[in-house]
Coordinates of all heavy atoms in Angstrom, one line a residue:
M1 N -7.4 6.3 -18.3 CA -7.8 5.8 -17.0 C -8.2 4.3 -17.2 O -9.0 3.9 -18.0 CB -8.9 6.6 -16.4 CG -9.5 6.0 -15.2 SD -10.7 7.1 -14.4 CE -9.8 8.5 -14.1
S2 N -7.6 3.4 -16.4 CA -7.8 2.0 -16.5 C -9.2 1.6 -16.3 O -9.7 0.6 -16.8 CB -6.8 1.2 -15.5 OG -7.2 1.5 -14.2
V3 N -9.9 2.3 -15.4 CA -11.3 1.9 -15.1 C -12.2 1.9 -16.4 O -13.0 1.0 -16.6 CB -11.9 2.9 -14.1 CG1 -13.4 2.6 -13.9 CG2 -11.2 2.7 -12.8
L4 N -11.9 2.8 -17.3 CA -12.7 2.8 -18.6 C -12.4 1.6 -19.5 O -13.2 1.3 -20.4 CB -12.4 4.1 -19.3 CG -12.8 5.4 -18.6 CD1 -12.3 6.6 -19.4 CD2 -14.3 5.5 -18.4
S5 N -11.4 0.9 -19.3 CA -11.1 -0.3 -20.1 C -11.7 -1.6 -19.6 O -11.6 -2.6 -20.2 CB -9.6 -0.5 -20.2 OG -9.0 -0.9 -19.0
L6 N -12.3 -1.5 -18.4 CA -12.9 -2.7 -17.8 C -14.2 -3.1 -18.5 O -15.0 -2.3 -18.9 CB -13.1 -2.5 -16.3 CG -11.9 -2.2 -15.5 CD1 -12.3 -1.9 -14.1 CD2 -10.9 -3.4 -15.5
R7 N -14.4 -4.4 -18.5 CA -15.7 -5.0 -19.1 C -16.7 -4.8 -18.0 O -16.4 -4.5 -16.8 CB -15.5 -6.4 -19.4 CG -15.2 -7.3 -18.3 CD -15.0 -8.8 -18.7 NE -14.5 -9.6 -17.7 CZ -15.2 -10.1 -16.6 NH1 -16.4 -9.8 -16.5 NH2 -14.6 -10.8 -15.7
T8 N -18.0 -5.1 -18.3 CA -19.1 -5.0 -17.3 C -18.8 -6.0 -16.2 O -18.3 -7.2 -16.5 CB -20.4 -5.4 -18.0 OG1 -20.7 -4.4 -19.0 CG2 -21.6 -5.4 -17.0
R9 N -19.0 -5.6 -15.0 CA -18.7 -6.3 -13.8 C -17.2 -6.6 -13.6 O -16.8 -7.6 -13.0 CB -19.5 -7.6 -13.7 CG -21.0 -7.3 -13.5 CD -21.8 -8.5 -13.1 NE -23.2 -8.1 -12.9 CZ -24.2 -8.8 -13.2 NH1 -24.0 -10.1 -13.6 NH2 -25.4 -8.4 -13.0
G10 N -16.3 -5.8 -14.2 CA -14.9 -6.0 -14.1 C -14.4 -5.5 -12.8 O -15.1 -4.9 -12.0
R11 N -13.1 -5.7 -12.5 CA -12.5 -5.3 -11.3 C -11.2 -4.5 -11.5 O -10.5 -4.8 -12.4 CB -12.1 -6.5 -10.5 CG -13.3 -7.2 -9.8 CD -12.8 -8.3 -9.0 NE -13.4 -9.5 -9.6 CZ -13.0 -10.7 -9.6 NH1 -11.8 -11.0 -9.0 NH2 -13.6 -11.7 -10.1
H12 N -11.1 -3.4 -10.7 CA -9.9 -2.6 -10.7 C -9.2 -2.8 -9.4 O -9.8 -2.7 -8.4 CB -10.2 -1.1 -10.9 CG -9.0 -0.2 -10.7 ND1 -8.0 0.0 -11.7 CD2 -8.5 0.4 -9.6 CE1 -7.1 0.8 -11.2 NE2 -7.4 1.1 -10.0
L13 N -7.9 -3.2 -9.4 CA -7.2 -3.4 -8.2 C -6.2 -2.3 -8.1 O -5.3 -2.1 -8.9 CB -6.4 -4.8 -8.2 CG -5.5 -5.1 -7.0 CD1 -6.3 -5.1 -5.7 CD2 -4.8 -6.4 -7.3
Q14 N -6.3 -1.5 -7.0 CA -5.3 -0.4 -6.7 C -4.3 -0.9 -5.7 O -4.7 -1.3 -4.5 CB -6.1 0.8 -6.2 CG -5.1 1.9 -5.8 CD -4.4 2.5 -6.9 OE1 -5.0 2.7 -8.0 NE2 -3.2 2.8 -6.7
L15 N -3.1 -1.0 -6.1 CA -2.0 -1.5 -5.1 C -1.2 -0.2 -4.7 O -0.7 0.5 -5.5 CB -1.1 -2.4 -5.9 CG -1.7 -3.7 -6.3 CD1 -0.7 -4.5 -7.2 CD2 -2.2 -4.5 -5.2
G16 N -1.2 -0.1 -3.4 CA -0.4 1.0 -2.8 C -1.1 2.4 -2.9 O -2.2 2.5 -3.3
H17 N -0.3 3.4 -2.5 CA -0.9 4.8 -2.5 C -0.8 5.5 -3.8 O -0.1 5.0 -4.7 CB -0.1 5.6 -1.5 CG -0.3 5.2 -0.1 ND1 -1.4 5.5 0.6 CD2 0.5 4.5 0.8 CE1 -1.4 5.0 1.8 NE2 -0.2 4.4 2.0
T18 N -1.4 6.6 -3.9 CA -1.2 7.5 -5.0 C 0.1 8.2 -4.9 O 0.8 8.1 -3.9 CB -2.4 8.5 -5.1 OG1 -2.4 9.3 -3.9 CG2 -3.7 7.8 -5.3
T19 N 0.4 9.0 -5.9 CA 1.7 9.7 -5.9 C 1.6 11.0 -5.0 O 0.5 11.4 -4.7 CB 2.1 10.2 -7.3 OG1 1.2 11.1 -7.8 CG2 2.2 9.0 -8.2
G20 N 2.7 11.6 -4.7 CA 2.7 12.9 -4.0 C 1.9 14.0 -4.8 O 1.3 14.8 -4.1
A21 N 2.0 13.9 -6.1 CA 1.3 15.0 -6.9 C -0.2 14.8 -6.8 O -0.9 15.8 -6.7 CB 1.7 14.9 -8.3
E22 N -0.7 13.6 -6.7 CA -2.1 13.3 -6.6 C -2.6 13.5 -5.2 O -3.8 13.9 -5.0 CB -2.4 11.9 -7.0 CG -2.1 11.6 -8.5 CD -2.1 10.1 -8.8 OE1 -1.8 9.3 -7.9 OE2 -2.4 9.8 -10.0
K23 N -1.8 13.3 -4.2 CA -2.2 13.5 -2.8 C -3.5 12.8 -2.4 O -4.3 13.3 -1.7 CB -2.2 15.0 -2.5 CG -0.9 15.7 -2.6 CD -0.9 17.1 -2.2 CE 0.5 17.7 -2.4 NZ 0.5 19.1 -2.1
G24 N -3.7 11.6 -3.0 CA -4.8 10.8 -2.6 C -6.1 11.1 -3.4 O -7.1 10.5 -3.3
D25 N -6.0 12.1 -4.3 CA -7.2 12.5 -5.1 C -7.1 12.0 -6.5 O -6.2 12.5 -7.2 CB -7.4 14.0 -5.0 CG -7.8 14.5 -3.7 OD1 -8.5 13.8 -3.0 OD2 -7.4 15.6 -3.3
V26 N -8.0 11.1 -6.9 CA -8.0 10.6 -8.3 C -9.4 10.7 -8.8 O -10.3 10.2 -8.1 CB -7.5 9.2 -8.4 CG1 -7.5 8.7 -9.8 CG2 -6.1 9.1 -7.8
A27 N -9.6 11.3 -9.9 CA -11.0 11.4 -10.5 C -11.4 10.1 -11.0 O -10.6 9.4 -11.7 CB -11.0 12.5 -11.6
L28 N -12.6 9.7 -10.7 CA -13.1 8.4 -11.2 C -14.5 8.6 -11.9 O -15.3 9.4 -11.4 CB -13.4 7.4 -10.0 CG -12.1 6.9 -9.3 CD1 -12.5 6.1 -8.1 CD2 -11.3 6.1 -10.2
P29 N -14.7 7.9 -13.0 CA -16.0 8.1 -13.7 C -17.1 7.3 -13.1 O -17.4 6.2 -13.5 CB -15.6 7.5 -15.1 CG -14.6 6.5 -14.8 CD -13.8 7.0 -13.6
I30 N -17.7 7.8 -12.0 CA -18.7 7.1 -11.2 C -19.9 6.6 -12.1 O -20.3 5.5 -11.9 CB -19.2 8.1 -10.1 CG1 -18.0 8.4 -9.1 CG2 -20.4 7.4 -9.3 CD1 -17.5 7.2 -8.4
D31 N -20.3 7.4 -13.0 CA -21.5 7.0 -13.9 C -21.1 5.7 -14.6 O -21.9 4.7 -14.6 CB -21.9 8.1 -14.8 CG -22.6 9.2 -14.2 OD1 -22.9 9.1 -13.0 OD2 -22.7 10.3 -14.8
V32 N -19.9 5.6 -15.2 CA -19.5 4.4 -15.9 C -19.4 3.3 -14.9 O -19.8 2.1 -15.2 CB -18.1 4.7 -16.6 CG1 -17.6 3.4 -17.2 CG2 -18.3 5.7 -17.7
M33 N -18.8 3.5 -13.8 CA -18.6 2.5 -12.8 C -20.0 1.9 -12.3 O -20.1 0.7 -12.1 CB -17.9 3.0 -11.6 CG -16.4 3.4 -11.9 SD -15.6 4.4 -10.7 CE -15.7 3.4 -9.2
M34 N -21.0 2.7 -12.2 CA -22.3 2.3 -11.8 C -23.0 1.5 -12.9 O -23.5 0.4 -12.7 CB -23.2 3.4 -11.4 CG -22.7 4.2 -10.1 SD -22.5 3.2 -8.7 CE -24.2 2.8 -8.4
V35 N -23.0 2.0 -14.1 CA -23.6 1.4 -15.2 C -23.0 0.0 -15.5 O -23.7 -1.0 -15.8 CB -23.6 2.3 -16.5 CG1 -24.1 1.5 -17.7 CG2 -24.5 3.5 -16.3
K36 N -21.7 -0.1 -15.5 CA -21.0 -1.3 -15.8 C -20.8 -2.2 -14.5 O -20.2 -3.3 -14.6 CB -19.6 -1.0 -16.4 CG -19.7 -0.4 -17.8 CD -18.3 0.0 -18.3 CE -17.6 -1.2 -18.9 NZ -16.3 -0.8 -19.5
E37 N -21.3 -1.7 -13.4 CA -21.2 -2.5 -12.1 C -19.8 -2.9 -11.8 O -19.5 -4.1 -11.5 CB -22.2 -3.7 -12.2 CG -23.6 -3.4 -12.4 CD -24.5 -4.6 -12.5 OE1 -24.1 -5.7 -12.3 OE2 -25.7 -4.4 -12.8
L38 N -18.9 -2.0 -11.8 CA -17.5 -2.3 -11.6 C -17.2 -2.4 -10.1 O -17.8 -1.8 -9.3 CB -16.6 -1.2 -12.2 CG -16.8 -0.9 -13.7 CD1 -15.9 0.2 -14.2 CD2 -16.5 -2.2 -14.5
E39 N -16.1 -3.2 -9.9 CA -15.7 -3.4 -8.5 C -14.3 -2.8 -8.3 O -13.4 -3.1 -9.2 CB -15.7 -4.9 -8.2 CG -15.3 -5.3 -6.8 CD -15.4 -6.8 -6.6 OE1 -15.8 -7.5 -7.5 OE2 -15.1 -7.2 -5.4
I40 N -14.1 -2.0 -7.3 CA -12.8 -1.4 -7.0 C -12.3 -2.0 -5.8 O -12.9 -2.0 -4.7 CB -13.0 0.2 -6.9 CG1 -13.7 0.8 -8.0 CG2 -11.6 0.8 -6.6 CD1 -13.0 0.7 -9.3
L41 N -11.1 -2.6 -5.9 CA -10.4 -3.2 -4.7 C -9.1 -2.5 -4.4 O -8.5 -2.0 -5.3 CB -10.2 -4.7 -5.1 CG -11.4 -5.5 -5.5 CD1 -10.9 -6.9 -6.0 CD2 -12.3 -5.7 -4.3
G42 N -8.7 -2.6 -3.2 CA -7.5 -2.0 -2.8 C -6.6 -3.0 -2.0 O -7.2 -3.8 -1.3
A43 N -5.3 -2.9 -2.1 CA -4.5 -3.7 -1.3 C -3.2 -2.9 -1.0 O -2.7 -2.2 -1.8 CB -4.1 -5.0 -2.1
F44 N -2.7 -3.1 0.2 CA -1.5 -2.4 0.6 C -0.7 -3.4 1.5 O -0.1 -3.0 2.5 CB -1.9 -1.2 1.4 CG -0.7 -0.3 1.7 CD1 -0.1 0.4 0.6 CD2 -0.1 -0.2 2.9 CE1 1.0 1.2 0.9 CE2 1.0 0.6 3.2 CZ 1.5 1.3 2.1
G45 N -0.5 -4.6 1.1 CA 0.3 -5.5 1.9 C 0.2 -6.9 1.4 O -0.4 -7.2 0.3
M46 N 0.7 -7.8 2.2 CA 0.8 -9.2 1.8 C -0.2 -10.0 2.7 O -0.4 -9.6 3.8 CB 2.2 -9.7 2.1 CG 2.3 -11.2 1.7 SD 3.9 -11.9 2.3 CE 5.1 -10.8 1.6
Q47 N -0.8 -11.0 2.1 CA -1.7 -11.8 2.8 C -1.0 -12.6 3.9 O 0.2 -13.1 3.7 CB -2.4 -12.8 1.8 CG -3.1 -12.2 0.7 CD -3.4 -13.2 -0.4 OE1 -2.7 -14.2 -0.6 NE2 -4.4 -12.9 -1.2
G48 N -1.6 -12.7 5.0 CA -0.9 -13.4 6.2 C -0.4 -14.8 5.9 O 0.6 -15.2 6.4
Q49 N -1.2 -15.5 5.1 CA -0.8 -16.9 4.9 C 0.5 -17.0 4.0 O 1.0 -18.1 3.9 CB -1.9 -17.7 4.2 CG -2.3 -17.3 2.8 CD -3.5 -16.4 2.8 OE1 -3.8 -15.7 3.7 NE2 -4.2 -16.4 1.7
R50 N 0.9 -15.9 3.4 CA 2.1 -15.9 2.6 C 3.4 -15.5 3.4 O 4.5 -15.5 2.9 CB 2.0 -15.0 1.4 CG 0.8 -15.5 0.6 CD 0.7 -14.9 -0.8 NE 1.9 -15.3 -1.6 CZ 2.4 -14.6 -2.6 NH1 1.8 -13.5 -2.9 NH2 3.5 -15.0 -3.2
F51 N 3.2 -15.2 4.7 CA 4.4 -14.7 5.5 C 5.4 -15.8 5.6 O 6.6 -15.6 5.6 CB 3.9 -14.3 6.8 CG 3.4 -12.9 6.9 CD1 2.9 -12.2 5.8 CD2 3.4 -12.2 8.1 CE1 2.4 -11.0 5.8 CE2 2.9 -10.9 8.2 CZ 2.4 -10.3 7.0
G52 N 5.0 -17.1 5.7 CA 6.0 -18.2 5.9 C 6.9 -18.3 4.7 O 8.1 -18.5 4.8
T53 N 6.3 -18.2 3.5 CA 7.1 -18.2 2.3 C 8.1 -17.1 2.2 O 9.3 -17.3 1.9 CB 6.2 -18.2 1.0 OG1 5.3 -19.3 1.1 CG2 7.0 -18.2 -0.3
M54 N 7.6 -15.9 2.6 CA 8.5 -14.7 2.6 C 9.6 -14.9 3.6 O 10.8 -14.6 3.3 CB 7.7 -13.5 3.0 CG 8.6 -12.2 3.1 SD 7.8 -10.8 3.8 CE 7.5 -11.4 5.5
L55 N 9.3 -15.4 4.8 CA 10.4 -15.6 5.8 C 11.4 -16.6 5.4 O 12.6 -16.5 5.6 CB 9.7 -15.9 7.2 CG 8.9 -14.8 7.8 CD1 8.2 -15.3 9.0 CD2 9.8 -13.6 8.2
N56 N 10.9 -17.7 4.7 CA 11.9 -18.7 4.1 C 12.8 -18.1 3.1 O 14.0 -18.4 3.1 CB 11.1 -19.9 3.5 CG 10.4 -20.7 4.6 OD1 10.9 -20.7 5.8 ND2 9.4 -21.4 4.2
M57 N 12.3 -17.2 2.3 CA 13.1 -16.5 1.3 C 14.1 -15.6 1.9 O 15.3 -15.5 1.5 CB 12.2 -15.7 0.3 CG 11.3 -16.5 -0.6 SD 10.2 -15.5 -1.6 CE 11.3 -14.8 -2.7
I58 N 13.8 -14.9 3.0 CA 14.7 -14.1 3.7 C 15.8 -15.0 4.3 O 17.0 -14.7 4.2 CB 14.0 -13.3 4.8 CG1 13.1 -12.2 4.2 CG2 15.0 -12.6 5.8 CD1 12.1 -11.5 5.2
G59 N 15.4 -16.1 5.0 CA 16.3 -17.0 5.6 C 17.3 -17.6 4.6 O 18.5 -17.8 4.9
A60 N 16.9 -17.8 3.4 CA 17.7 -18.4 2.3 C 18.6 -17.3 1.6 O 19.4 -17.6 0.7 CB 16.8 -19.1 1.3
G61 N 18.4 -16.1 2.0 CA 19.2 -15.0 1.4 C 18.7 -14.6 0.0 O 19.4 -13.8 -0.7
R62 N 17.5 -15.0 -0.4 CA 17.0 -14.6 -1.7 C 16.2 -13.3 -1.6 O 15.9 -12.7 -2.7 CB 16.1 -15.7 -2.2 CG 16.8 -17.0 -2.5 CD 16.0 -18.1 -3.2 NE 14.6 -17.8 -3.4 CZ 13.6 -18.7 -3.2 NH1 13.9 -19.9 -2.9 NH2 12.4 -18.3 -3.4
L63 N 15.9 -12.9 -0.5 CA 15.1 -11.6 -0.3 C 15.7 -10.8 0.8 O 16.0 -11.3 1.9 CB 13.6 -12.0 0.0 CG 12.6 -10.8 0.1 CD1 12.5 -10.1 -1.2 CD2 11.3 -11.4 0.6
N64 N 16.0 -9.5 0.6 CA 16.6 -8.7 1.6 C 15.7 -7.5 1.8 O 15.8 -6.4 1.2 CB 18.0 -8.2 1.1 CG 18.6 -7.3 2.1 OD1 18.1 -7.1 3.2 ND2 19.8 -6.7 1.7
P65 N 14.7 -7.6 2.8 CA 13.8 -6.5 3.0 C 14.5 -5.2 3.6 O 13.9 -4.1 3.5 CB 12.8 -7.1 4.0 CG 13.5 -8.2 4.7 CD 14.5 -8.7 3.6
G66 N 15.6 -5.4 4.1 CA 16.4 -4.2 4.6 C 16.7 -3.2 3.5 O 16.9 -2.0 3.8
R67 N 16.6 -3.6 2.3 CA 16.9 -2.6 1.2 C 15.9 -1.5 1.1 O 16.2 -0.5 0.5 CB 17.1 -3.4 -0.1 CG 18.3 -4.3 -0.1 CD 18.5 -5.0 -1.4 NE 18.6 -4.1 -2.5 CZ 18.6 -4.4 -3.8 NH1 18.3 -5.7 -4.1 NH2 18.7 -3.5 -4.7
I68 N 14.7 -1.8 1.5 CA 13.6 -0.8 1.4 C 13.4 0.0 2.7 O 12.6 1.0 2.7 CB 12.3 -1.4 0.9 CG1 11.7 -2.4 1.9 CG2 12.4 -1.9 -0.5 CD1 10.3 -2.8 1.6
V69 N 14.1 -0.4 3.8 CA 14.0 0.3 5.1 C 14.8 1.6 5.0 O 16.1 1.5 4.8 CB 14.4 -0.6 6.3 CG1 14.4 0.2 7.5 CG2 13.5 -1.8 6.4
T70 N 14.2 2.7 5.1 CA 15.0 4.0 5.0 C 15.3 4.6 6.4 O 16.1 5.4 6.5 CB 14.2 5.0 4.1 OG1 12.9 5.2 4.7 CG2 14.1 4.5 2.7
R71 N 14.5 4.1 7.4 CA 14.7 4.7 8.7 C 14.1 3.8 9.8 O 13.1 3.1 9.5 CB 14.0 6.0 8.7 CG 14.1 6.9 9.9 CD 13.5 8.3 9.7 NE 13.0 8.8 10.9 CZ 11.9 9.6 11.0 NH1 11.2 9.9 10.0 NH2 11.6 10.0 12.2
T72 N 14.7 3.7 10.9 CA 14.1 3.0 12.1 C 13.9 4.1 13.2 O 14.6 5.0 13.3 CB 15.0 1.9 12.6 OG1 16.3 2.5 13.0 CG2 15.3 0.8 11.5
V73 N 12.8 3.9 13.9 CA 12.4 4.8 14.9 C 12.0 4.0 16.2 O 11.6 2.9 16.1 CB 11.3 5.8 14.5 CG1 11.7 6.6 13.3 CG2 10.0 5.0 14.2
G74 N 11.9 4.7 17.3 CA 11.4 4.2 18.5 C 9.9 4.4 18.5 O 9.4 5.3 17.8
L75 N 9.2 3.7 19.4 CA 7.7 3.8 19.5 C 7.3 5.3 19.8 O 6.3 5.8 19.3 CB 7.2 2.9 20.6 CG 5.7 2.8 20.7 CD1 5.1 2.4 19.4 CD2 5.3 1.8 21.8
H76 N 8.2 6.0 20.6 CA 7.8 7.4 20.9 C 7.9 8.3 19.7 O 7.3 9.4 19.7 CB 8.8 7.9 22.0 CG 10.2 8.0 21.5 ND1 11.0 6.9 21.5 CD2 11.0 9.0 21.1 CE1 12.2 7.2 21.0 NE2 12.2 8.5 20.8
E77 N 8.5 7.9 18.6 CA 8.5 8.7 17.4 C 7.4 8.3 16.4 O 7.3 9.0 15.3 CB 9.9 8.5 16.7 CG 11.1 9.0 17.5 CD 12.4 8.7 16.9 OE1 12.8 9.5 16.0 OE2 12.9 7.6 17.2
A78 N 6.7 7.3 16.6 CA 5.7 6.8 15.7 C 4.7 7.8 15.3 O 4.2 7.9 14.2 CB 5.1 5.5 16.2
G79 N 4.2 8.6 16.3 CA 3.2 9.6 16.1 C 3.6 10.6 15.0 O 2.9 11.0 14.1
G80 N 4.9 11.0 15.1 CA 5.4 12.0 14.2 C 5.5 11.4 12.8 O 5.3 12.1 11.8
V81 N 5.9 10.1 12.7 CA 6.0 9.5 11.4 C 4.6 9.4 10.8 O 4.4 9.8 9.6 CB 6.6 8.1 11.5 CG1 6.4 7.3 10.2 CG2 8.0 8.1 11.9
L82 N 3.6 9.1 11.6 CA 2.2 9.0 11.0 C 1.7 10.4 10.6 O 1.1 10.5 9.6 CB 1.3 8.4 12.1 CG 1.4 6.9 12.4 CD1 0.5 6.5 13.5 CD2 1.1 6.1 11.1
E83 N 2.0 11.4 11.4 CA 1.6 12.8 11.0 C 2.3 13.2 9.7 O 1.7 13.9 8.8 CB 2.0 13.8 12.1 CG 1.1 13.7 13.3 CD 1.5 14.6 14.4 OE1 2.5 15.4 14.2 OE2 0.9 14.5 15.5
S84 N 3.5 12.8 9.4 CA 4.2 13.2 8.2 C 3.6 12.5 7.0 O 3.8 13.0 5.9 CB 5.7 12.9 8.3 OG 6.0 11.5 8.3
L85 N 2.9 11.4 7.2 CA 2.2 10.8 6.0 C 1.2 11.7 5.3 O 1.0 11.6 4.1 CB 1.5 9.5 6.4 CG 2.4 8.3 6.9 CD1 1.6 7.2 7.4 CD2 3.3 7.9 5.8
E86 N 0.6 12.6 6.1 CA -0.3 13.5 5.6 C 0.3 14.4 4.5 O -0.4 14.8 3.6 CB -0.9 14.4 6.7 CG -2.0 15.3 6.3 CD -2.6 16.1 7.4 OE1 -2.5 15.7 8.6 OE2 -3.3 17.1 7.2
T87 N 1.5 14.7 4.6 CA 2.2 15.5 3.6 C 3.2 14.7 2.7 O 4.1 15.2 2.1 CB 3.0 16.7 4.3 OG1 4.0 16.1 5.1 CG2 2.1 17.6 5.0
Y88 N 3.0 13.4 2.7 CA 3.8 12.5 1.9 C 5.2 12.6 2.3 O 6.1 12.5 1.4 CB 3.5 12.7 0.4 CG 2.1 12.4 0.0 CD1 1.1 13.3 0.1 CD2 1.8 11.1 -0.5 CE1 -0.2 13.0 -0.2 CE2 0.5 10.8 -0.9 CZ -0.5 11.7 -0.7 OH -1.8 11.4 -1.1
G89 N 5.5 12.8 3.6 CA 6.9 13.0 4.0 C 7.8 11.8 3.9 O 8.8 11.9 3.1
P90 N 7.6 10.7 4.5 CA 8.6 9.6 4.4 C 8.5 8.9 3.1 O 7.5 8.7 2.5 CB 8.2 8.7 5.5 CG 6.8 8.9 5.8 CD 6.5 10.3 5.4
T91 N 9.7 8.5 2.6 CA 9.8 7.6 1.5 C 10.4 6.3 1.9 O 11.1 6.2 2.9 CB 10.6 8.2 0.3 OG1 11.9 8.5 0.8 CG2 10.0 9.4 -0.2
G92 N 10.1 5.2 1.2 CA 10.6 3.9 1.7 C 9.8 3.4 2.8 O 8.6 3.7 3.0
V93 N 10.4 2.6 3.7 CA 9.7 2.0 4.8 C 10.3 2.5 6.1 O 11.5 2.4 6.3 CB 9.7 0.5 4.7 CG1 9.1 -0.2 5.9 CG2 9.0 0.0 3.4
V94 N 9.5 2.9 7.0 CA 10.0 3.3 8.4 C 9.5 2.2 9.3 O 8.4 1.8 9.3 CB 9.3 4.6 8.9 CG1 9.8 5.0 10.3 CG2 9.7 5.8 7.9
V95 N 10.5 1.6 10.1 CA 10.3 0.5 10.9 C 10.4 0.9 12.4 O 11.4 1.6 12.7 CB 11.3 -0.6 10.6 CG1 11.1 -1.8 11.6 CG2 11.1 -1.2 9.2
I96 N 9.5 0.6 13.2 CA 9.6 0.8 14.7 C 10.4 -0.4 15.2 O 10.0 -1.5 15.1 CB 8.2 0.9 15.3 CG1 7.4 2.0 14.7 CG2 8.3 1.0 16.8 CD1 5.9 2.0 15.2
D97 N 11.5 0.0 15.8 CA 12.4 -1.1 16.3 C 12.7 -1.0 17.8 O 13.5 -1.7 18.4 CB 13.7 -1.2 15.5 CG 14.6 0.1 15.7 OD1 14.1 1.1 16.3 OD2 15.7 0.1 15.2
E98 N 12.1 0.0 18.5 CA 12.2 0.2 19.9 C 10.8 0.4 20.5 O 10.1 1.3 20.1 CB 13.1 1.3 20.2 CG 13.4 1.5 21.7 CD 14.3 2.7 22.0 OE1 15.3 2.9 21.2 OE2 14.0 3.5 22.9
F99 N 10.5 -0.4 21.5 CA 9.1 -0.4 22.0 C 9.0 0.1 23.5 O 7.9 0.0 24.1 CB 8.4 -1.7 21.8 CG 8.3 -2.1 20.4 CD1 9.3 -2.9 19.8 CD2 7.3 -1.7 19.6 CE1 9.3 -3.3 18.5 CE2 7.2 -2.0 18.3 CZ 8.2 -2.8 17.7
R100 N 10.0 0.7 24.0 CA 10.0 1.2 25.3 C 9.4 2.6 25.3 O 9.7 3.4 24.4 CB 11.3 1.3 26.0 CG 11.9 -0.1 26.3 CD 13.3 0.0 26.8 NE 14.1 0.2 25.7 CZ 15.4 0.6 25.8 NH1 15.9 0.8 26.9 NH2 16.1 0.8 24.7
A101 N 8.5 3.0 26.2 CA 7.9 4.3 26.3 C 8.8 5.4 26.7 O 9.8 5.2 27.3 CB 6.7 4.3 27.2

């Protein structure tokens, strides 16, 4: 476990979700974390100030975000997509592309 390798007042950065097998549950050594005063950080996206760079890369053809889009849905289907996250249903990225009720 990476947390055990951290120095005192070290930081662990968790990027993205856990696997389907873990289902969001990961054992953490709380006593070690407290004694060593560790910081646990999470991130699941890009910082807003970096969007311009990303959009320029898309415009230049160096980045193709469509490769990770596995499905597009209308706004009326968004609730079902969110519910399916509970069972790790969708893989890839689901994009809402229709906003009429």
Side-chain angles (χ1 to χ4, degrees):
M1 172 176 298
S2 64
V3 172
L4 297 175
S5 69
L6 297 174
R7 63 178 170 78
T8 298
R9 294 192 178 150
R11 284 181 241 152
H12 171 83
L13 175 61
Q14 176 66 39
L15 298 173
H17 290 287
T18 59
T19 66
E22 293 167 331
K23 296 184 179 176
D25 292 325
V26 178
L28 292 173
I30 296 298
D31 290 345
V32 172
M33 293 166 58
M34 296 300 296
V35 169
K36 292 176 80 174
E37 300 178 8
L38 300 179
E39 186 175 358
I40 307 296
L41 304 169
F44 189 72
M46 181 189 308
Q47 300 164 337
Q49 69 262 26
R50 299 198 60 208
F51 279 23
T53 302
M54 178 193 65
L55 293 172
N56 289 336
M57 290 175 71
I58 292 169
R62 294 187 356 219
L63 185 63
N64 180 5
R67 292 179 63 191
I68 63 170
V69 175
T70 55
R71 184 172 151 214
T72 60
V73 299
L75 186 58
H76 65 282
E77 297 173 86
V81 172
L82 289 173
E83 287 175 7
S84 73
L85 292 175
E86 186 175 340
T87 59
Y88 295 83
T91 57
V93 175
V94 178
V95 174
I96 299 171
D97 66 350
E98 184 182 316
F99 297 94
R100 290 178 282 167

